[in-house]
């Protein structure tokens, strides 16, 4: 472990040059303080041949290490349950189970006796194999799960060596590290760290979710920052914009100290809004729902005032299991819990959106996965995956209000085909005497331009629309949503995207069906007045963003934003649009600029 750094007060004038790096902000907030470079102690995993006597004692030594690791994890589970609730403790409960996994525990003992080798080396051999399978998975989510296996492996090996699990972390520091485990972030937050920045990681990682839940401002995906930062460097971490500033100059520091104060004020004020209705000054109501990916987020629904679940990305939860073929019963258990948590609000179950950057139930590679076998295309070809999911959702539908949402629809035929499968499934379940709601509304994601352009036709055949701007933007502007090289061309507030959103809303209104929006655009506060002005019924986003969306809605006037939307629709480029939006923000959203500024400078 590196030396404990000398504490550098945040206000001290830095001598070195200021520089910054942009990553992904996964937990909002602003932290200012000294860097604490956290390097995982590299475990010395030496292969050692055992004498007869040692060989006889090794199983007991291994069991003792497992017992100690269990004690650690139980403590972490208690802390997590206490601070975050049962749902968040699930990660560590899974790690606890790994310790006595039927594939791991006996395999280690077999390896020890067969090769007459120390248990530490055997653990490394056995668990690294499991880790490799996860690391080489096509799914980003499963790749991130490899960290959990690593964490368990490290824990056992440290206990075999009777080493300490966690080196002391200085409180009030910003932890800079290559990557973290979910256990690290729970323990660090207990020690009062200010924030966290990592070289690797994505917004769906457990660490990111825990950081959000524990309110530790965090930025991930900052390649090689650990090589450039030294212990004690003065740091500003902006979890809203996803930026890290190192050795900030006087002016920058001043700006961020005031930004931090404004952020704290905003959060304080927003907390008071949670129980208030989401409506404009003139009483126009807008639905505010949550996008949910993982069980850990269930506890956040009420905390952030979600009225329901606008988008439940079922694939993420199922992929946690590491397999696609999760049984109907297993899915039902999870779905029922989610519906109950969202009640009396509605839960919108999106049918598995596999493909693209998410794991496919077969291993062949596609040249253009985002234009390939994805979403509904996969599901219609694989009834053995679709039908159990559908049955599980229908069974959960008696617990509370539910809806079914289809991803990646491009053609009406897909909707008709799905509807016919759904009708057959319903008839069979009724015949089987299973209690279900036979009238669950069926809607589609509007995320492919063909659907927005033909929205009038689609509106006659579905019960609701949900606009997925993440994909709609990538397909309209022909820009890969996950490719850094073209990230500057990816503009969710592009006039072409807005016109398709407009077409979709107009078609929905004409047909009398509800229309929501569940892409990241809903969290862009500059976009919210336009969306409300265009007539969107519901906005759905990650729970942490809901209070600020509500806040901006509560300062607008419907007539006024309708006028703004009409003017914005006439804009031919983003510059024209920015001018209009800046003026609107200056006039109506003063003091809320913190989140709004995130796309500038
Ligand atoms: C979208 O495409 O906007 C969306 C909400 O779905 P996902 O991000 O899961 O593709
Ligand atoms: Mg999508």
């Amino acid at each position: 472990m590196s030396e404990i750094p000398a504490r550098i007060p945040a206000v001290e004038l830095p001598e070195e040059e200021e520089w910054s790096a942009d990553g992904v902000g996964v937990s909002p907030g602003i932290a200012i303080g000294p860097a604490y470079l956290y390097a995982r102690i590299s475990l010395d995993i030496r292969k050692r041949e055992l004498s007869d006597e040692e060989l006889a004692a090794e199983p007991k030594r291994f069991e003792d290490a497992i017992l100690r690791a269990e004690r650690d994890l139980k403590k972490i589970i208690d802390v997590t349950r206490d601070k975050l609730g049962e749902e968040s403790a699930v990660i560590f409960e899974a790690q606890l189970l790994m310790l006595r996994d039927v594939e791991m525990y006996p395999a280690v003992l077999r390896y020890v006796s067969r090769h007459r080798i120390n248990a530490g080396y055997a653990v490394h051999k056995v668990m690294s194999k499991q880790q490799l399978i996860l690391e080489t998975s096509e799914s980003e989510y499963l790749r991130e799960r490899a960290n959990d296996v690593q964490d368990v492996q490290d824990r056992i090996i440290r206990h075999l060596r009777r080493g300490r699990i966690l080196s002391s972390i200085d409180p009030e520091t910003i932890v800079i590290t290559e990557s973290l485990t979910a256990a690290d972030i729970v323990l660090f937050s207990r020690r009062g760290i200010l924030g966290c920045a990592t070289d690797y990681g994505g917004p769906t990682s457990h660490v990111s979710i825990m950081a959000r839940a524990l309110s530790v401002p965090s930025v991930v995906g900052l390649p090689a920052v650990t090589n450039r930062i030294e212990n004690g460097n003065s740091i500003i971490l902006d979890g809203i914009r996803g930026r890290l500033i190192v050795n900030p100059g006087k002016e920058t520091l001043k700006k961020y100290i005031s930004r931090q104060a404004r952020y704290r004020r905003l959060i304080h004020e927003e907390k008071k809004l949670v129980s208030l209705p989401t409506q404009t000054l003139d009483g126009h109501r807008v639905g505010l729902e949550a996008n949910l990916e993982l069980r850990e987020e269930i506890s956040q629904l009420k905390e952030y005032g979600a009225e329901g679940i606008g988008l439940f990305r079922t694939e993420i939860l199922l992929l946690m299991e590491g397999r696609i073929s999760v049984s109907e019963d297993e899915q039902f258990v999870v779905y029922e819990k989610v519906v109950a948590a969202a009640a009396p609000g509605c839960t919108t179950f999106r049918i598995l959106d596999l493909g693209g950057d998410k794991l496919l139930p077969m291993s062949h590679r596609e040249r253009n996965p985002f234009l390939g076998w994805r979403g509904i295309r996969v599901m219609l070809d694989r009834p053995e995956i679709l039908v159990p999911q559908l049955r599980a959702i229908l069974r959960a539908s008696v617990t509370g209000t539910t809806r079914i949402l289809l991803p990646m629809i491009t053609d009406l035929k897909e909707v008709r085909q799905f509807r016919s499968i759904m009708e057959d499934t319903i008839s069979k379940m009724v015949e089987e005497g299973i209690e279900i709601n036979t009238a669950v509304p069926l809607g589609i994601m509007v995320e492919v331009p063909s659907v927005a352009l033909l929205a009038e036709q689609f509106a006659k055949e579905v019960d609701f629309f949900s606009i997925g701007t993440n994909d709609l933007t990538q397909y309209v502007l022909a820009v890969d949503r996950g490719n850094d090289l073209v990230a500057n061309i990816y503009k969710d507030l592009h006039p072409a995207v807005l016109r398709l959103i407009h077409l979709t809303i107009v078609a929905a209104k004409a047909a009398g069906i509800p229309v929501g929006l569940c892409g990241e655009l809903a969290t862009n506060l500059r976009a919210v007045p336009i969306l409300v002005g265009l007539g969107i019924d519901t906005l759905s986003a990650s729970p942490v963003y809901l209070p600020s969306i509500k806040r901006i809605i509560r300062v607008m006037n419907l007539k006024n934003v309708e006028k703004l939307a009409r003017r914005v629709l006439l804009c031919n480029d983003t510059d024209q649009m920015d001018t209009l939006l800046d003026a609107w923000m200056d006039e109506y959203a003063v003091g809320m600029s913190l989140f709004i500024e995130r796309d500038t400078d």
Side-chain angles (χ1 to χ4, degrees):
M1 185 65 217
S2 356
E3 279 175 17
I4 296 172
R7 173 91 208 276
I8 296 185
V11 285
E12 194 169 280
L13 255 187
E15 284 160 16
E16 290 176 65
E17 209 177 314
E18 171 178 324
W19 59 275
S20 65
D22 288 320
V24 185
V26 292
S27 177
I30 290 158
I32 304 174
Y36 187 99
L37 267 183
Y38 174 71
R40 300 183 141 267
I41 308 162
S42 61
L43 290 167
D44 167 22
I45 310 161
R46 244 173 293 166
K47 188 171 174 179
R48 200 166 49 80
E49 207 165 308
L50 303 178
S51 65
D52 287 346
E53 213 172 297
E54 285 173 324
L55 185 62
E58 202 62 356
K60 164 91 172 62
R61 213 168 70 82
F62 178 55
E63 172 60 22
D64 285 349
I66 294 286
L67 284 172
R68 279 195 294 273
E70 277 176 342
R71 248 193 328 261
D72 284 350
L73 279 167
K74 281 179 185 156
K75 214 183 294 164
I76 294 172
I77 290 169
D78 284 347
V79 174
T80 311
R81 252 195 218 127
D82 190 40
K83 289 189 90 172
L84 301 173
E86 179 57 40
E87 292 304 331
S88 302
V90 167
I91 302 167
F92 306 115
E93 279 160 5
Q95 290 194 6
L96 189 65
L97 291 179
M98 272 185 223
L99 292 174
R100 296 203 182 268
D101 183 80
V102 287
E103 308 247 318
M104 191 280 285
Y105 194 102
V108 169
L109 292 181
R110 266 198 312 276
Y111 201 93
V112 169
S113 73
R114 196 171 297 156
H115 301 275
R116 301 181 64 90
I117 286 298
N118 55 314
Y121 188 75
V123 168
H124 171 65
K125 279 304 246 192
V126 171
M127 295 198 77
S128 299
K129 214 193 250 170
Q130 295 177 343
Q131 206 183 336
L132 191 69
I133 295 170
L134 292 171
E135 268 168 1
T136 52
S137 152
E138 294 204 351
S139 142
E140 183 193 339
Y141 184 79
L142 285 186
R143 284 198 303 272
E144 281 164 355
R145 294 293 73 72
N147 289 338
D148 289 338
V149 179
Q150 177 75 51
D151 197 24
V152 171
Q153 183 189 149
D154 288 357
R155 198 173 292 284
I156 303 172
I157 293 174
R158 282 204 183 95
H159 280 304
L160 278 164
R161 297 170 62 224
R162 297 192 162 267
R164 270 171 56 75
I165 294 298
L166 183 75
S167 309
S168 62
I169 286 273
D170 270 9
E172 299 190 28
T173 55
I174 295 171
V175 174
I176 312 283
T177 179
E178 271 190 26
S179 64
L180 278 182
T181 65
D184 290 336
I185 194 97
V186 171
L187 293 177
F188 289 178
S189 84
R190 260 186 113 196
R191 282 165 210 236
I193 64 159
L194 301 172
C196 200
T198 63
D199 287 354
Y200 304 109
T204 61
S205 70
H206 277 148
V207 183
S208 305
I209 287 158
M210 293 304 247
R212 271 200 293 275
L214 291 160
S215 307
V216 177
S218 302
V219 180
V220 302
L222 293 158
V225 280
T226 42
N227 297 336
R228 299 180 63 195
I229 295 177
E230 285 174 22
N231 255 333
N233 275 169
S234 187
I235 302 280
I236 295 172
L237 180 143
D238 183 343
I240 305 163
R241 284 187 203 174
R243 178 170 296 178
L244 197 73
I245 302 169
V246 184
N247 303 320
K250 213 171 167 180
E251 279 309 307
T252 313
L253 208 48
K254 211 168 119 197
K255 188 171 115 190
Y256 272 89
I257 288 172
S258 106
R259 193 170 152 80
Q260 186 182 44
R262 272 193 295 148
Y263 178 74
R264 288 184 179 151
R265 264 200 315 275
L266 270 180
I267 294 299
H268 181 71
E269 285 163 26
E270 281 174 357
K271 281 264 155 162
K272 297 187 217 153
L273 298 180
V274 164
S275 56
L276 297 178
T278 308
Q279 64 182 30
T280 59
L281 290 171
D282 45 351
H284 170 72
R285 289 292 279 258
V286 180
L288 193 62
E289 297 186 329
N291 288 357
L292 194 90
E293 293 176 359
L294 295 170
R295 296 166 221 247
E296 289 86 343
E297 291 169 311
I298 292 178
S299 60
Q300 298 187 340
L301 294 175
K302 299 275 180 289
E303 186 186 342
Y304 290 99
E307 293 160 16
I309 299 172
L311 169 66
F312 180 19
R313 290 180 165 103
T314 55
E315 62 279 0
I316 310 280
L317 206 79
L318 294 189
L319 292 175
M320 263 178 103
E321 305 292 329
R323 58 207 156 101
I324 304 296
S325 55
V326 178
S327 75
E328 176 189 323
D329 283 347
E330 286 171 294
Q331 293 185 58
F332 169 65
V333 170
V334 178
Y335 295 168
E336 193 188 31
K337 217 164 155 191
V338 172
V339 174
C346 174
T347 299
T348 308
F349 285 101
R350 187 171 70 184
I351 292 295
L352 288 166
D353 185 13
L354 300 166
D357 57 352
K358 295 167 197 154
L359 190 76
L360 272 174
M362 58 188 286
S363 55
H364 86 260
R365 284 193 173 274
E366 294 177 277
R367 260 178 210 272
N368 283 311
F370 276 112
L371 301 181
W373 201 46
R374 191 191 162 188
I376 195 70
R377 303 172 184 179
V378 176
M379 296 309 272
L380 291 176
D381 287 348
R382 288 281 184 274
E384 72 279 13
I385 301 172
L386 172 60
V387 174
Q389 180 176 37
L390 195 48
R391 288 176 62 99
I393 296 171
L394 288 168
R395 280 168 63 190
S397 70
V398 288
T399 305
T401 325
T402 51
R403 307 195 297 180
I404 291 177
L405 177 61
L406 305 179
M408 192 65 187
I409 290 286
T410 54
D411 196 288
L412 266 171
K413 270 193 201 141
E414 293 158 336
V415 178
R416 291 176 191 150
Q417 207 180 328
F418 182 90
R419 205 182 268 288
S420 128
I421 296 174
M422 186 163 156
E423 279 162 8
D424 285 352
T425 308
I426 290 175
S427 319
K428 280 201 191 96
M429 292 177 83
V430 170
E431 261 170 45
E432 289 166 33
I434 300 172
E435 206 194 336
I436 57 168
N437 174 359
T438 54
V440 176
L442 177 64
I444 54 169
M445 292 288 294
V446 179
E447 55 185 350
V448 176
S450 63
V451 178
L453 291 165
L454 294 174
E456 215 181 306
Q457 281 68 35
F458 278 91
K460 290 180 193 140
E461 301 204 23
V462 300
D463 302 314
F464 66 96
F465 282 155
S466 186
I467 304 174
T469 46
N470 305 341
D471 278 313
L472 189 61
T473 308
Q474 90 164 338
Y475 294 133
V476 172
L477 302 182
V479 49
D480 180 344
R481 63 193 261 191
N483 184 340
D484 292 346
L485 291 176
V486 286
N488 59 331
I489 313 173
Y490 187 96
K491 291 205 182 339
D492 54 5
L493 255 180
H494 190 284
V497 179
L498 274 186
R499 283 177 205 191
L500 291 185
I501 293 175
H502 176 56
L503 272 182
T504 308
I505 297 175
V506 169
K509 300 274 164 205
I513 61 167
V515 52
L517 188 144
C518 61
E520 294 305 309
L521 186 66
T523 69
N524 179 347
L525 296 195
R526 285 167 73 79
V528 176
I530 308 175
L531 297 172
V532 175
L534 288 176
I536 203 80
D537 293 317
T538 303
L539 292 171
S540 188
S542 260
V544 278
Y545 295 109
L546 299 183
S548 45
I549 299 173
K550 182 185 287 188
R551 185 176 154 92
I552 197 160
I553 290 176
R554 287 179 61 85
V555 299
M556 57 181 82
N557 187 297
L558 183 62
K559 289 276 165 290
N560 171 285
V561 288
E562 281 175 348
K563 194 164 136 208
L564 173 76
R566 277 196 299 274
R567 292 176 66 198
V568 165
L569 280 178
L570 296 174
C571 291
N572 296 323
D573 58 45
T574 39
D575 289 346
Q576 266 184 337
M577 210 145 90
D578 278 341
T579 313
L580 275 178
L581 290 179
D582 287 344
W584 192 91
M585 290 292 161
D586 283 348
E587 194 168 348
Y588 300 99
V590 187
M592 275 179 245
S593 53
L594 208 73
F595 285 104
I596 295 154
E597 273 169 19
R598 68 184 163 160
D599 293 326
T600 62
D601 71 44

